[in-house]
Amino acid sequence: MTESSANKLLNGDVCHRSSSGKKSGKNGFVKNHCLFQQPQKYRRLREKNQNVTRNSSLYKKPFLESFEETPLLVAVLTYMGYGILTIFGYLRDFLRHWNIEKCHVAREREEQKDFVPLYQDFENFYTRNLYMRIRDNWNRPICSVPGAKMDLVERVSHDYNWTFQHTGKVVKDVINMGSYNYLGFAENTGTCADAAVEATHKYGVGVGSTRYEIGNLDIHEEMEQLVARFLGVESSMAFGMGFATNSMNIPALTGKGCLILSDELNHASLVLGARLSGSTIRVFKHNNMQSLEKLLRDAIVHGQPRTHRPWKKILIVVEGIYSMEGSIVRLPEVIALKKRYKAYLYLDEAHSIGALGPNGRGVVDYFGLDPKDVDIMMGTFTKSFGAAGGYIGGKRELIDYLRNHSHSALYATSMSPPVAQQIITSMKTIMGEDGTTLGADRLRQLSENTTYFRRKLRDMGFIIYGNDDSPVVPMMLYMPAKIGAFGREMLKRNIGTVVVGFPATPIIESRARFCVSAAHTREMLDTVKGAVTLNAEYFYSSDTI
Amino acid sequence: MVYFCTLGPKQSWSCINWAPAYHLILEGILILWIIRLLFSKTYKLQETYKLTEKEKEDLIEEWQPEPLVPPVSKDQPFLNYDIVTGPPSHKITINGKECINFASFNFLGLLDNERVKHKALASLKKYGVGTCGPRGFYGTFDVHLELESRLAKFMKTEEAIIYSYGFATIASAIPAYSKRGDIVFVDEAACFSIQKGLQASRSFIKYFKHNDMEDLERLLMEQEQEDQKNPRKARVTRRFIVVEGLYINTADVCPLPELVKLKYKYKVRIFLEESMSFGVLGEHGRGVTEHFGVNIDDIDLISANMENAVASIGGFCCGRSFVIDHQRLSGQGYCFSASLPPMLAAAAIEALNIMEEDPGIFTVLREKCRLVYEELQGIPGLKLRGEQFAPALHLQLERSFGSRDTDLKMLRSIVDYCLLVLPNPNLFLPIPSQSCSCCLSRPVLFTPFTTYTKLKALLH
């Protein structure tokens, strides 16, 4: 269901909660041990879901987040919408089963008809009946650089999205609000592209071997040293795929007898890595430090389930920016908890590296903390660096251990040389080592764009989730029909957006997601804002029925 | 009590007076006891203890976790990787020395092909390097669609799907189909990515001895008997066999025709992993199905990575649309990961072009494999494992020198000998876990074969 509501303002509002939440125990122990208080039971009803931390001194600047609660009428209408669609889905399935309606679904081979069916009918109910209707909003092929503006391949469907045909035409100059291009490094001209061209000439495209064997090129070593310097850690290691970085390295770090505390809304790669490791997994509420603290205390005090042996290690897994919510992790509080309870912290900065912080060094830089406090800093190069792959940074012992025990280093091919070169050039640009101020300009432009865009949309009255500083801007749509309509209308106005529904989000919280980029100009953002406003008038206006 | 009920109320009261006192008192006590039992709290047989706050604090203070990583010993053999400067093609400069490359999986020699590089550069100039998004959110380029249709056409299947990392291909494909409760029969020598895919799928895994069809049939028959006991469950339990075309770990080929027979006899689906055999086996390089002449529709899913023969990065799965289309929504490595950089896709397309234009290269490769195979026979102390036409062979120590560590040190010394002692140009052999594997690429020179005589001298 919906998350806690109301704006959370955490600049040190102690307000009226003065006494500690616990009565004095029998042995006279009055002091409250928890770092973060549980809210009182005798609260006023209006502030029921407010979360105030006592340690707001940990934050150097205001931490403004909002997750407005779904209005009741909207929730009811959304459920009704899904109900109607489900009924129609059953009707269509019935018609297809009795061959009244032509069935476009691919069928099993004749020779294999008596095999156990590969898919259960119900698994694909949602895909067949709901997803198919609005399928044209996803997998849109593009044929240019995914920069601030892109060219889309025009495609039409004559059978209600079951198959698509390309008309051969190209829709030019569509404003791109969907690609993860935070610093605008997705470009085919400039220093990065030239350096990548040289690397291709020198090294070729493929590598043909694993890092362990003979795939360790000198360009990989250079890139890893640069990444370590960028992050401010002792050493780092890079891998060919961001998803694989998580799913293959978490098993190398934890195993049976360890505990992983993972956020509710963690990415699929983190969940998969945690599952493959074989450790016990416990989930805490999204960005909720009280929930995390309670889990930590219970874990240490009670030990492993049933045997009550102490845990070997506790690993807290969080992300820098959560891409579906737009929220930023409460890193100062997490680090305080980690130090207090001697746990280890795994921070996945897939979206926040390069996008947050005055120097672009990610969420650690944003909060002004010491990178050595985070045990394992993981991130990807896909979003802000315009390349592909992932990295892990940390102490030298950690990286040496991973070089020998990471599944990726031993069994998977190393990164392609031009991609590695792109990372090197873009990182040097961000750090300012190429001699220009291009990096600093882009960082400033991104934060200005983010603030401007969020403010404008909020002023228009839209429900925007997430932290005020995050370049990921989710705008709530709620109703299933609006998902399809919004995506299509925006495309008609030459703007490409991303709409997300179930199962990536809870069923009634469908949203449109905008990714602000440093490459966007103010005019583009104004155009987008104008288009969204026009759409809203079209949908919400009582005249159009 | 029943006696009471049959009388009227006035008559009941008179009966109470008539009944003996002890009887009434006993009944009264019983009623009170029942009421007490109903309202008293239930107690658990094992009472959970409650810790005081102080005890909890003490426990928290005392608890010490293990270090995040165990300390790495200094003489760990692979602490520092060998550094390669320059392109990893036929001649390779490793740790400063120039060698002939017998270690990369560059089967068709396309790693430094000029046409491939040219196409990759053209793509770079058009699209840039990265795709900045997963396939669902503006990460699908026309290059990807073209590569998918070309692969499907090359392999003569309906559809193909591309992944951005070779390891993730089969590791995402298996869990998309096989869920908890399903049964998978796997060869013992399956590669690591298959094992990870199986672990992620949470199905029942049954290993059969490497390439042993009788063992597999025995397992299938046992399963059939189990099914007869519980036909309802059997009707919804999916069954799969996962094999590799050319095994990475043993360099031999799977008996595909027998597997297809078993498939139809026991109604099991086959997933075939062709990373080593795609672009190597078969008249046109279509892999082990072409090698054996098996109809490609009999195999439910073929998965391969493009990092070996195709000399690019990434992987693909191909098969019928009914099977492949499912992965577009449920393959984790496809939906939740950024797509393949377009220049790598363009390089793969050009490699496919080269493969289609000139099927003669596969014959050349097989010839060279046969030559090296013959030369490597008969080295005392080392046993050669693999098929004659396998491009990656294994040289194993015939007898163990004691423990695994000593064996590894011995193998490493062989590799170092080839690397450092032999005169230019010398060989490089890599050292994975238990055996040396020696990989071939196209223009193998004949001079290296004479150096093997020196290898024999070393082992005496």
Side-chain angles (χ1 to χ4, degrees):
Chain A
M1 266 304 285
T2 53
E3 281 292 301
S4 47
S5 68
N7 288 325
K8 300 173 207 176
L9 207 61
L10 301 155
N11 324 20
D13 278 355
V14 180
C15 63
H16 54 277
R17 286 171 214 151
S18 45
S19 60
S20 84
K22 294 187 170 37
K23 294 186 287 215
S24 58
K26 288 201 178 111
N27 48 7
F29 224 46
V30 183
K31 196 175 92 178
N32 185 10
H33 316 288
C34 287
L35 285 182
F36 306 122
Q37 284 258 31
Q38 295 285 354
Q40 300 293 303
K41 284 210 168 90
Y42 49 85
R43 297 171 286 249
R44 294 202 296 257
L45 205 63
R46 185 166 57 84
E47 291 155 20
K48 197 164 103 153
N49 293 319
Q50 203 163 355
N51 272 325
V52 175
T53 72
R54 295 215 164 260
N55 299 37
S56 1
S57 55
L58 292 171
Y59 292 88
K60 296 191 176 76
K61 52 182 169 184
F63 188 83
L64 299 154
E65 260 190 353
S66 79
F67 296 95
E68 213 173 299
E69 200 175 308
T70 315
L72 183 63
L73 177 63
V74 171
V76 167
L77 288 174
T78 312
Y79 278 124
M80 271 173 57
Y82 275 108
I84 295 174
L85 283 168
T86 316
I87 295 173
F88 269 91
Y90 279 122
L91 176 66
R92 299 287 285 273
D93 273 348
F94 176 76
L95 293 175
R96 271 192 281 262
H97 183 68
W98 290 102
N99 283 331
I100 302 172
E101 184 186 326
K102 189 162 94 126
C103 185
H104 300 267
V105 182
R107 290 296 179 90
E108 176 70 277
R109 277 176 86 202
E110 279 307 319
E111 296 91 332
Q112 291 179 217
K113 274 273 187 265
D114 50 350
F115 280 41
V116 175
L118 191 54
Y119 317 116
Q120 284 162 349
D121 265 344
F122 192 71
E123 261 173 34
N124 290 357
F125 181 84
Y126 181 79
T127 314
R128 272 198 313 274
N129 297 312
L130 277 79
Y131 174 72
M132 258 324 151
R133 289 170 180 269
I134 46 175
R135 196 162 81 115
D136 56 317
N137 288 308
W138 294 286
N139 295 304
R140 289 184 178 151
I142 87 176
C143 51
S144 74
V145 183
K149 286 206 172 161
M150 57 183 177
D151 300 334
L152 288 183
V153 176
E154 197 183 9
R155 53 178 193 169
V156 290
S157 174
H158 301 290
D159 49 2
Y160 299 103
N161 289 347
W162 285 99
T163 56
F164 290 105
Q165 283 82 35
H166 293 175
T167 57
K169 283 196 284 236
V170 167
V171 182
K172 284 210 166 289
D173 288 337
V174 177
I175 298 181
N176 185 357
M177 299 300 286
S179 292
Y180 302 137
N181 181 22
Y182 299 131
L183 290 177
F185 278 111
E187 49 192 12
N188 53 354
T189 50
T191 41
C192 294
D194 293 336
V197 165
E198 267 185 53
T200 317
H201 276 301
K202 186 175 170 200
Y203 292 100
V205 165
V207 181
S209 185
T210 67
R211 286 297 291 277
Y212 200 60
E213 292 179 4
I214 193 182
N216 186 38
L217 307 174
D218 49 356
I219 202 173
H220 294 134
E221 299 272 323
E222 191 191 335
M223 175 186 58
E224 285 177 356
Q225 279 158 11
L226 184 63
V227 169
R229 241 186 29 238
F230 181 77
L231 295 171
V233 291
E234 284 177 22
S235 177
S236 81
M237 185 167 175
F239 306 92
M241 185 194 196
F243 186 97
T245 311
N246 278 330
S247 57
M248 294 203 268
N249 286 310
I250 297 183
L253 295 168
T254 59
K256 265 192 149 42
C258 304
L259 175 67
I260 294 183
L261 295 173
S262 114
D263 190 293
E264 219 176 5
L265 299 177
N266 266 342
H267 190 253
S269 55
L270 291 167
V271 172
L272 182 64
R275 261 184 50 208
L276 287 178
S277 69
S279 323
T280 314
I281 305 173
R282 294 205 179 137
V283 171
F284 62 92
K285 295 202 184 66
H286 176 58
N287 238 359
N288 187 327
M289 295 299 115
Q290 285 92 335
S291 168
L292 175 59
E293 181 164 18
K294 180 169 184 315
L295 281 180
L296 273 168
R297 288 181 74 84
D298 285 343
I300 301 179
V301 163
H302 295 295
Q304 301 190 25
R306 286 172 45 228
T307 55
H308 295 291
R309 286 198 197 107
W311 293 104
K312 288 193 196 154
K313 287 182 244 202
I314 297 185
L315 185 70
I316 305 175
V317 178
V318 286
E319 286 189 43
I321 292 183
Y322 292 89
S323 60
M324 282 299 154
E325 302 284 310
S327 52
I328 299 181
V329 68
R330 293 171 194 272
L331 197 61
E333 297 177 43
V334 174
I335 289 188
L337 277 175
K338 166 196 110 84
K339 284 184 176 158
R340 167 93 171 83
Y341 294 101
K342 292 174 269 193
Y344 298 113
L345 179 59
Y346 185 102
L347 179 64
D348 178 345
E349 291 205 83
H351 284 267
S352 53
I353 189 77
L356 279 186
N359 298 316
R361 313 286 164 113
V363 73
V364 171
D365 190 31
Y366 174 74
F367 286 114
L369 299 168
D370 184 8
K372 296 197 178 23
D373 283 336
V374 179
D375 300 289
I376 306 150
M377 290 182 75
M378 178 264 167
T380 59
F381 298 117
T382 327
K383 280 94 186 174
S384 305
F385 300 98
Y391 66 85
I392 287 196
K395 293 204 166 60
R396 193 171 301 278
E397 298 87 52
L398 168 71
I399 302 297
D400 283 343
Y401 179 80
L402 281 179
R403 277 191 211 281
N404 282 291
H405 291 90
S406 159
H407 303 164
S408 170
L410 298 169
Y411 295 104
T413 320
S414 39
M415 207 186 267
S416 167
V419 171
Q421 183 60 47
Q422 162 83 11
I423 296 167
I424 294 176
T425 336
S426 58
M427 209 172 258
K428 283 195 175 143
T429 313
I430 297 176
M431 285 163 78
E433 281 180 12
D434 60 337
T436 66
T437 54
L438 194 61
D441 289 339
R442 286 190 181 183
L443 288 165
R444 205 186 42 246
Q445 183 72 32
L446 175 65
S447 84
E448 275 172 19
N449 283 352
T450 308
T451 326
Y452 178 74
F453 193 64
R454 274 180 172 267
R455 189 167 44 91
K456 282 284 169 201
L457 281 181
R458 192 166 279 131
D459 288 344
M460 297 262 74
F462 296 110
I463 300 180
I464 308 284
Y465 270 17
N467 192 301
D468 274 358
D469 289 320
S470 102
V472 176
V473 185
M475 188 183 91
M476 303 308 290
L477 293 172
Y478 299 115
M479 303 202 196
K482 284 201 190 139
I483 306 174
F486 187 84
R488 288 171 192 153
E489 286 299 313
M490 292 299 271
L491 188 60
K492 276 192 204 143
R493 294 173 210 278
N494 248 19
I495 299 172
T497 53
V498 162
V499 288
V500 215
F502 183 78
T505 60
I507 195 153
I508 60 166
E509 287 179 14
S510 332
R511 58 200 72 175
R513 193 181 67 179
F514 300 102
C515 289
V516 181
S517 158
H520 286 135
T521 59
R522 199 152 274 214
E523 290 82 32
M524 288 186 211
L525 293 179
D526 283 331
T527 321
V528 174
K529 186 211 79 176
V532 174
T533 318
L534 277 171
N535 274 339
E537 286 166 7
Y538 183 62
F539 294 149
Y540 292 102
S541 156
S542 53
D543 300 339
T544 59
I545 288 183
Chain B
M1 284 307 187
V2 174
Y3 177 66
F4 264 139
C5 300
T6 54
L7 305 169
K10 222 176 177 181
Q11 287 142 328
S12 313
W13 278 115
S14 59
C15 279
I16 290 177
N17 294 330
W18 170 74
Y22 68 87
H23 189 88
L24 288 171
I25 294 170
L26 197 61
E27 301 266 10
I29 290 174
L30 276 173
I31 293 172
L32 284 172
W33 189 256
I34 290 170
I35 294 173
R36 179 171 174 263
L37 278 178
L38 280 172
F39 283 109
S40 72
K41 276 203 299 202
T42 51
Y43 63 93
K44 291 194 193 116
L45 278 172
Q46 294 157 334
E47 200 177 300
T48 50
Y49 51 87
K50 280 207 173 319
L51 296 173
T52 61
E53 281 303 315
K54 184 169 187 310
E55 281 168 350
K56 284 189 187 174
E57 278 305 306
D58 285 340
L59 282 169
I60 292 175
E61 289 297 326
E62 280 167 14
W63 179 68
Q64 284 298 336
E66 281 181 5
L68 182 57
V69 288
V72 177
S73 64
K74 283 282 176 269
D75 61 343
Q76 182 77 262
F78 320 122
L79 200 57
N80 295 309
Y81 298 143
D82 300 314
I83 301 183
V84 173
T85 38
S89 62
H90 312 298
K91 291 256 177 66
I92 186 169
T93 316
I94 180 154
N95 289 341
K97 261 205 133 186
E98 196 184 315
C99 313
I100 301 180
N101 188 355
F102 268 95
S104 296
F105 287 162
N106 183 14
F107 302 143
L108 298 176
L110 293 172
L111 270 183
D112 58 350
N113 187 301
E114 279 310 314
R115 273 174 66 179
V116 168
K117 275 198 212 173
H118 186 71
K119 273 286 153 71
L121 284 170
S123 174
L124 173 60
K125 291 197 175 74
K126 186 174 176 201
Y127 298 108
V129 177
T131 54
C132 299
R135 286 291 290 259
F137 303 151
Y138 303 106
T140 307
F141 284 57
D142 44 357
V143 199
H144 296 135
L145 298 174
E146 193 190 330
L147 178 58
E148 284 179 0
S149 67
R150 286 294 301 277
L151 280 167
K153 212 166 65 154
F154 180 76
M155 294 292 285
K156 299 210 169 97
T157 57
E158 280 178 20
E159 201 175 328
I161 179 175
I162 300 181
Y163 284 84
S164 56
Y165 204 45
F167 187 96
T169 312
I170 190 74
S172 303
I174 294 179
Y177 301 102
S178 180
K179 313 272 184 203
R180 203 191 284 266
D182 296 331
I183 303 173
V184 185
F185 300 96
V186 189
D187 191 300
E188 265 175 358
C191 67
F192 192 74
S193 39
I194 294 180
Q195 288 170 20
K196 286 292 130 184
L198 291 170
Q199 198 184 349
S201 72
R202 295 197 258 221
S203 320
F204 290 120
I205 320 284
K206 299 200 172 154
Y207 287 98
F208 61 91
K209 293 201 193 60
H210 177 57
N211 270 351
D212 189 347
M213 291 297 108
E214 274 108 30
D215 199 33
L216 175 58
E217 185 145 17
R218 176 184 62 85
L219 284 172
L220 287 166
M221 279 200 287
E222 276 170 20
Q223 185 58 39
E224 206 178 14
Q225 281 157 2
E226 286 278 330
D227 291 341
Q228 275 154 7
K229 288 183 203 152
N230 194 347
R232 265 190 91 188
K233 190 168 152 211
R235 246 179 290 135
V236 289
T237 311
R238 296 173 277 242
R239 277 150 258 248
F240 302 97
I241 296 178
V242 180
V243 282
E244 288 184 52
L246 197 61
Y247 287 92
I248 294 182
N249 291 332
T250 57
D252 49 8
V253 80
C254 74
L256 199 56
E258 283 96 13
L259 278 168
V260 174
K261 285 200 200 92
L262 284 174
K263 164 185 170 159
Y264 285 111
K265 189 170 168 196
Y266 293 98
K267 314 236 181 314
V268 196
R269 295 173 199 269
I270 299 186
F271 285 175
L272 186 61
E273 219 277 327
E274 288 220 68
S275 292
M276 302 292 278
S277 52
F278 179 75
V280 170
L281 295 182
E283 204 187 302
H284 295 101
R286 294 199 178 101
V288 76
T289 46
E290 200 182 23
H291 180 80
F292 283 113
V294 169
N295 178 10
I296 200 146
D297 281 338
D298 280 335
I299 311 291
D300 293 274
L301 179 90
I302 296 183
S303 139
N305 71 16
M306 303 195 284
E307 290 156 5
N308 301 335
V310 181
S312 178
I313 304 272
F316 68 92
C317 289
C318 61
R320 295 186 64 243
S321 290
F322 174 72
V323 180
I324 299 294
D325 210 39
H326 181 72
Q327 279 180 53
R328 291 198 197 271
L329 280 180
S330 51
Q332 291 216 317
Y334 181 83
C335 302
F336 296 113
S337 180
S339 47
L340 184 65
M343 57 184 295
L344 300 173
I349 295 177
E350 190 58 25
L352 268 181
N353 284 343
I354 296 177
M355 280 163 64
E356 280 180 351
E357 280 163 22
D358 180 24
I361 49 172
F362 305 114
T363 335
V364 171
L365 176 62
R366 268 195 289 280
E367 187 55 35
K368 298 205 188 222
C369 293
R370 192 183 61 81
L371 280 169
V372 175
Y373 183 82
E374 277 163 15
E375 281 295 322
L376 286 178
Q377 297 277 15
I379 300 180
L382 286 178
K383 190 174 58 174
L384 186 69
R385 267 192 92 168
E387 296 274 338
Q388 207 189 51
F389 44 76
L393 301 164
H394 288 255
L395 281 169
Q396 278 181 338
L397 292 173
E398 253 174 20
R399 55 180 169 78
S400 171
F401 283 83
S403 73
R404 185 160 176 259
D405 284 333
T406 44
D407 287 346
L408 281 173
K409 287 202 174 77
M410 181 71 198
L411 287 169
R412 180 81 215 189
S413 63
I414 298 177
V415 172
D416 288 335
Y417 177 79
C418 292
L419 187 56
L420 298 166
V421 174
L422 300 175
N424 262 337
N426 30 18
L427 295 165
F428 178 72
L429 309 167
I431 17 108
S433 45
Q434 275 170 319
S435 48
C436 266
S437 79
C438 156
C439 310
L440 238 53
S441 64
R442 257 188 85 196
V444 161
L445 306 169
F446 283 94
T447 42
F449 298 153
T450 56
T451 63
Y452 278 108
T453 52
K454 297 203 174 70
L455 251 184
K456 293 176 194 175
L458 169 72
L459 286 158
H460 263 126

